Amino acid sequence: MAQSVVEVMEDAKGMAQENLLANGGLKEKMKCLKIDLTSFVTHFEWDMAKYPAKQPLVSVVDTVAKQLAQIETDLKSRMASYNTLKTNLENLERKSMGNLFTRTLSDIVSKEDFVLDSEYLITLLVIVPKQSYTQWQKTYESLSDMVVPRSTKLIAEDNEGGLFTVTLFRKVIDDFKTKAKENKFTVREYYYDEKEIKREREEMSRLLSDKKQQYQTSCVALKKGSSTFRDHKVKVTPLGSPDRPAAGQSDRERESEGEGEGPLLRWLKVNFSEAFIAWIHIKALRVFVESVLRYGLPVNFQAVLLQPKKSSTKRLREVLNSVFRHLDQVAAASILDVGTRSRNSRVSTVRSASLPRRDCPGTVLGRLL
């Protein structure tokens, strides 16, 4: 769930830790506060309302297990929907990246660049290497018969070349393509379809809006009338029409949307807290059960939290093993083995049979040393 929070926050993932809190399960006066995970553990008290201590332990465990299973099921469903939306958006945005050979041209060309609705004439788009601009201008009219004189126009260019229009008769299309290829000019297969361009832009706007409204903490607002494509990795500069927005420039107007949270992030924060609190209850229950099994009845033990520096974890386990070796040499050897395999653990739980009596699992994580 923590990883999902990081994924959803995207550009603000550095602030993810601030959203991983344990709000609930503490005293009433603290419930309104934002409780970090360490503070929750060190001030832990058993939630009698949610997990009644008078119930059989197996019932308590079953309650927690069902709660976590439901959270996991919901998490998979919600993240699947989020990832589907994200993938669809990325697929559309990917079309607007790259060079003139691969990227979409919908945000570059305009209706005025083409001869439309003609029975005999058609406008083709040709990619010409930058070093061949002069050659193109001199030869395009003679590459085939029936090429309309002075019909070429440079409408966009990137680092590799330029995108030119040329108008000719439909019946010489194949011949023109063959001759263009021989001269290292590439005819880009593209037919202007105003309805398809409109559909593509509406789809992009819808996906961006869905992501903004449903998932992210803040998102770019689309300026009315602006292009919906992301900033391009390869700069493409449209030419000829001063009113046409330049591809490669910022296509969207960035406007502050505040810190409002979408439903998915809110759900993740709430249920991360629920899952963490449930997990700590399981830890407390485990300490209680293991301590009763080890030291017997009546209940007489005190659980302690130790928080060593990362570099001191192994040494701490060795010292504890040495101090309490007399209690159970087999268990002490096992603890040492666990310590070797868990040297990066920050929190160690120590149980001592000689400390004051505690009668229920609600106080098994009593104090921080």
Side-chain angles (χ1 to χ4, degrees):
M1 296 193 70
Q3 182 59 40
S4 297
V5 170
V6 173
E7 182 179 346
V8 170
M9 293 191 71
E10 295 186 339
D11 294 339
K13 62 179 61 176
M15 300 174 60
Q17 188 63 41
E18 299 176 12
N19 291 276
L20 300 179
L21 304 171
N23 295 332
L26 300 181
K27 292 181 178 179
E28 287 297 328
K29 63 180 181 180
M30 300 183 69
K31 284 186 176 180
C32 60
L33 304 177
K34 293 183 177 181
I35 309 301
D36 64 84
L37 306 185
T38 300
S39 296
F40 177 84
V41 174
T42 57
H43 294 80
F44 176 82
E45 290 186 6
W46 190 269
D47 190 337
M48 294 292 185
K50 186 176 291 186
Y51 311 114
K54 293 183 179 180
Q55 288 186 355
L57 296 185
V58 66
S59 298
V60 176
V61 173
D62 186 57
T63 298
V64 175
K66 288 181 178 178
Q67 177 189 7
L68 294 179
Q70 185 60 51
I71 290 176
E72 182 178 18
T73 299
D74 291 347
L75 174 65
K76 290 179 179 179
S77 175
R78 290 171 182 266
M79 289 308 297
S81 298
Y82 173 77
N83 288 328
T84 297
L85 172 63
K86 188 176 179 181
T87 299
N88 291 340
L89 182 58
E90 289 174 349
N91 288 339
L92 280 177
E93 291 179 326
R94 194 175 294 117
K95 293 181 180 180
S96 66
M97 300 178 184
N99 57 32
L100 292 170
F101 291 92
T102 58
R103 73 184 309 284
T104 181
L105 302 179
S106 299
D107 58 331
I108 294 178
V109 299
S110 67
K111 185 176 181 179
E112 291 73 24
D113 295 326
F114 297 85
V115 174
L116 302 174
D117 304 322
S118 172
E119 182 179 354
Y120 301 104
L121 297 176
I122 187 173
T123 299
L124 300 182
L125 297 178
V126 183
I127 301 172
V128 180
K130 280 195 172 182
Q131 64 272 19
S132 303
Y133 280 9
T134 301
Q135 179 189 354
W136 166 259
Q137 292 288 354
K138 291 180 178 180
T139 62
Y140 81 91
E141 293 180 6
S142 59
L143 290 179
S144 177
D145 295 333
M146 300 185 179
V147 176
V148 178
R150 301 180 185 177
S151 62
T152 191
K153 179 175 63 174
L154 176 63
I155 60 174
E157 61 181 349
D158 59 16
N159 295 330
E160 300 175 11
L163 187 68
F164 287 81
T165 61
V166 60
T167 302
L168 44 89
F169 279 74
R170 291 179 181 271
K171 63 181 181 179
V172 298
I173 290 178
D174 292 338
D175 182 54
F176 182 87
K177 288 181 178 179
T178 301
K179 295 293 180 59
K181 185 176 181 180
E182 292 174 357
N183 286 270
K184 298 182 178 180
F185 305 139
T186 304
V187 177
R188 173 75 188 269
E189 296 292 342
Y190 182 84
Y191 298 96
Y192 186 86
D193 186 337
E194 201 162 14
K195 291 183 179 180
E196 178 62 21
I197 292 175
K198 182 179 179 181
R199 185 202 65 77
E200 187 175 328
R201 290 181 174 176
E202 287 178 348
E203 177 68 6
M204 178 73 80
S205 296
R206 183 186 66 79
L207 291 173
L208 285 169
S209 178
D210 285 350
K211 194 174 183 183
K212 166 191 167 185
Q213 293 177 6
Q214 299 181 37
Y215 301 108
Q216 290 183 300
T217 54
S218 61
C219 187
V220 175
L222 295 177
K223 184 179 180 181
K224 184 177 180 181
S226 69
S227 172
T228 59
F229 293 106
R230 179 184 288 182
D231 297 349
H232 309 300
K233 291 182 178 179
V234 177
K235 184 176 181 180
V236 178
T237 307
L239 303 172
S241 175
D243 296 326
R244 187 188 308 156
Q249 296 176 343
S250 178
D251 289 325
R252 294 175 296 191
E253 189 75 10
R254 300 191 176 278
E255 298 176 0
S256 172
E257 290 296 311
E259 296 299 324
E261 296 172 355
L264 178 58
L265 182 59
R266 283 199 301 270
W267 184 90
L268 286 170
K269 289 173 63 175
V270 169
N271 285 276
F272 171 85
S273 176
E274 290 294 316
F276 181 82
I277 291 171
W279 181 61
I280 296 301
H281 277 74
I282 288 291
K283 291 287 186 183
L285 190 60
R286 187 173 177 180
V287 170
F288 176 77
V289 171
E290 291 183 0
S291 298
V292 170
L293 290 175
R294 178 171 301 280
Y295 307 127
L297 295 173
V299 174
N300 185 21
F301 68 88
Q302 173 70 56
V304 179
L305 288 172
L306 301 179
Q307 188 176 22
K309 295 180 179 179
K310 287 185 178 181
S311 59
S312 304
T313 301
K314 181 180 178 181
R315 175 60 179 162
L316 173 63
R317 289 186 179 276
E318 292 172 349
V319 170
L320 293 175
N321 181 48
S322 175
V323 171
F324 297 105
R325 184 183 300 273
H326 65 283
L327 295 177
D328 189 334
Q329 292 186 2
V330 176
S334 175
I335 292 174
L336 181 59
D337 179 61
V338 171
T340 302
R341 290 182 285 109
S342 309
R343 62 184 59 188
N344 290 326
S345 173
R346 297 188 63 194
V347 180
S348 304
T349 303
V350 147
R351 300 180 293 277
S352 172
S354 60
L355 294 175
R357 172 174 175 168
R358 294 292 183 267
D359 294 322
C360 76
T363 52
V364 293
L365 299 182
R367 54 196 177 89
L368 176 68
L369 294 184

